Amino acid sequence: MVALRLTRATRPTVQLRRLLVAAAAGGTGFLLLACLGYALDHPQQADAAALRLAWCAVPLAAAVHLALAVARTDPGTRPRPGLSAVGLGPARLMALSALTTALSCALGSVLALLVFLHLRGDLTGMPFDGAASDFLAADQPLPIPATLTLLGLVPATATTTVALALRPRDPRRAAPGPRGFGRFGAYGRSAARETFGAYGRFGARRGNVPAAGRPAADGAQPTDGAAAGAAPDPERSGHGTSGHGTAPGTDTETKTQTEAVAEAEAETGSPAPETAWTDGSRRPSKDTPVGLPWGITLVTAGLAVHAYAERQAGAVLLGWFLIATGLVLASPGLTHLCGRLLQSTRPGALRLLAGRVLMAEATRLGRPLGVVCAVVTAGYAMTTLYAGSAPAFGPLTTLGALLVTGCTVATLLTAAVETRQCRADTTATLLRLGAPAAMLRAAAALRAAALLVLFGPLTLAVAALAALPVDR
């Protein structure tokens, strides 16, 4: 009920993003049902039906990626002050995000089933003069278990992905480990093993904890606190000749006590929590992303596989998988590099702001950019492959291409919205300090132009290299 109320009481832009998720889930479900219809209509071509079903993994991954991006930017399920008091903690908000995603995907799957049944002629008769009966198996009964399984694949996968990605994480630093205990419950850190009765021997613990008024076993001098405890100074206690309640040595004593408390906390290994629970999204890292060398290696390996594939289906799929994975891994590092290049050669306030934002949001923006580059590269190569006398794209292939392209572009735009939401406090601070709004818009335009200048030629170069074996 709470998920339905949050879904109903949101802004139109949020509802539009949820409708995009429903449309992506509906298109993917329709492709899966079309593969089922092809398998029913061509039972002797099991390999071709399995290959069609394997190709549906690409739009499925695109739809799930879009659902995850939309769930991250959903304002109705983001942590706000006071929600934990009414029982809406991080775990409950994660469950609400997953339930909202499940509702959107389920709506799309139901629409896909209705369209599929309408094209088969099961609802109101055969439309389009039976043109869709070749790949929908209109003359055969539809198996209900297989239909429900294929329709539930997108909601189940998207819901599980959202739940795992948005699960609550404790941002506090982990403790250095359980503290070791000696004999009789005493705190012990020495590596040497004690013999029986060593604890009760006179002077055995003399060197570990120096007592007040006596030196340590290793000859170290007693601390200020111990000295103060053994022989209190009349000036520090406030009974000196000055007659005031506070003496000049009070600050030194307070500092000594503060340092002692800090050392005790560091020794026990229980630091104070830095922040409260978050929404589960990872904060942008200040370091350079480490996936750039691995991404370049995978892209090179994929191009090498394409060079020796000779249009074999398995080798082509492996090559595209390596190229796509390499682009996704390398894109955060390239985005970080783009932000660093913007700040080179004595930058002004505009370039410095644009570059710092790109460096801070390299991972959040880089991965959707890598997916877009992989889709554009594959589209260019497939267009080159089917150019000339090859058969034209069919309706299902066109639907799949539009679905993957639309999902990737919508995911990239949603990631930009998420970046804007995460920088809302910083933007408000800049505006409060007097920064003009035109400069912020110019910085956003500069970031988009810099990414286009870097990723545009890179995508075209990888696509041209991938299509070279096809042109030969």
Side-chain angles (χ1 to χ4, degrees):
M1 186 61 66
V2 177
L4 290 176
R5 289 185 177 181
L6 290 176
T7 302
R8 185 172 54 88
T10 51
R11 297 192 300 268
T13 55
V14 181
Q15 300 288 0
L16 178 60
R17 291 197 292 266
R18 292 171 179 170
L19 289 179
L20 288 177
V21 173
T28 307
F30 183 82
L31 290 177
L32 292 172
L33 292 179
C35 293
L36 176 62
Y38 181 84
L40 292 176
D41 202 17
H42 303 81
Q44 69 279 3
Q45 299 179 2
D47 296 337
L51 183 60
R52 285 171 175 259
L53 188 61
W55 275 111
C56 289
V58 179
L60 174 62
V64 171
H65 195 198
L66 176 61
L68 177 59
V70 171
R72 288 182 182 275
T73 58
D74 194 347
T77 56
R78 296 183 68 88
R80 290 186 297 272
L83 289 181
S84 298
V86 296
L88 292 178
R92 185 67 63 85
L93 290 178
M94 179 270 295
L96 289 178
S97 298
L99 184 57
T100 304
T101 304
L103 291 176
S104 301
C105 295
L107 176 61
S109 298
V110 171
L111 293 178
L113 178 61
L114 294 178
V115 172
F116 184 77
L117 294 178
H118 174 67
L119 293 178
R120 278 173 49 92
D122 296 337
L123 298 179
T124 58
M126 184 68 65
F128 304 113
D129 297 332
S133 60
D134 296 336
F135 57 90
L136 298 183
D139 55 344
Q140 297 185 13
L142 198 63
I144 297 180
T147 304
L148 295 180
T149 301
L150 293 177
L151 286 178
L153 185 60
V154 181
T157 307
T159 304
T160 305
T161 304
V162 169
L164 291 177
L166 300 184
R167 67 186 185 277
R169 299 181 179 89
D170 192 355
R172 295 176 295 183
R173 293 191 301 266
R179 189 169 185 178
F181 292 93
R183 297 182 181 275
F184 301 100
Y187 295 110
R189 294 184 180 274
S190 61
R193 184 176 179 85
E194 295 179 352
T195 58
F196 179 76
Y199 185 83
R201 192 176 299 122
F202 179 76
R205 299 292 169 180
R206 187 182 181 88
N208 293 337
V209 183
R214 62 173 177 82
D218 55 354
Q221 296 296 327
T223 60
D224 295 341
D233 195 351
E235 292 183 356
R236 294 185 179 182
S237 60
H239 301 285
T241 58
S242 58
H244 298 286
T246 303
T250 307
D251 296 337
T252 306
E253 183 181 3
T254 304
K255 184 184 298 184
T256 305
Q257 294 176 356
T258 305
E259 292 176 357
V261 172
E263 290 176 0
E265 290 180 356
E267 190 174 357
T268 55
S270 58
E274 296 179 354
T275 56
W277 283 92
T278 60
D279 57 344
S281 59
R282 295 184 179 180
R283 296 181 178 180
S285 177
K286 298 181 181 179
D287 301 329
T288 305
V290 297
L292 183 58
W294 295 102
I296 295 175
T297 303
L298 289 178
V299 170
T300 306
L303 293 176
V305 170
H306 263 277
Y308 296 97
E310 296 182 356
R311 297 195 179 187
Q312 296 179 1
V316 169
L317 287 178
L318 178 61
W320 280 121
F321 177 75
L322 292 176
I323 291 175
T325 307
L327 288 174
V328 173
L329 287 178
S331 293
L334 292 175
T335 306
H336 192 277
L337 177 62
C338 184
R340 189 175 293 275
L341 291 177
L342 277 178
Q343 303 175 74
S344 60
T345 63
R346 303 179 64 180
L350 182 62
R351 287 198 294 143
L352 187 63
L353 179 60
R356 289 297 177 88
V357 171
L358 281 182
M359 291 176 63
E361 305 294 338
T363 302
R364 185 178 285 113
L365 289 176
R367 290 175 180 173
L369 272 175
V371 175
V372 171
C373 291
V375 170
V376 172
T377 302
Y380 178 82
M382 292 297 291
T383 304
T384 306
L385 177 64
Y386 285 107
S389 60
F393 289 128
L396 294 180
T397 307
T398 304
L399 175 61
L402 292 177
L403 182 62
V404 172
T405 305
C407 286
T408 52
V409 174
T411 303
L412 179 60
L413 296 178
T414 308
V417 173
E418 181 186 3
T419 303
R420 183 179 179 181
Q421 290 178 355
C422 294
R423 292 186 295 104
D425 296 337
T426 304
T427 304
T429 303
L430 290 175
L431 292 175
R432 188 170 60 251
L433 291 176
M439 188 185 72
L440 299 180
R441 291 192 294 267
L446 182 59
R447 291 194 300 269
L451 292 176
L452 183 62
V453 168
L454 178 63
F455 281 91
L458 174 65
T459 304
L460 294 179
V462 174
L465 291 176
L468 277 179
V470 179
D471 295 337
R472 292 186 303 185

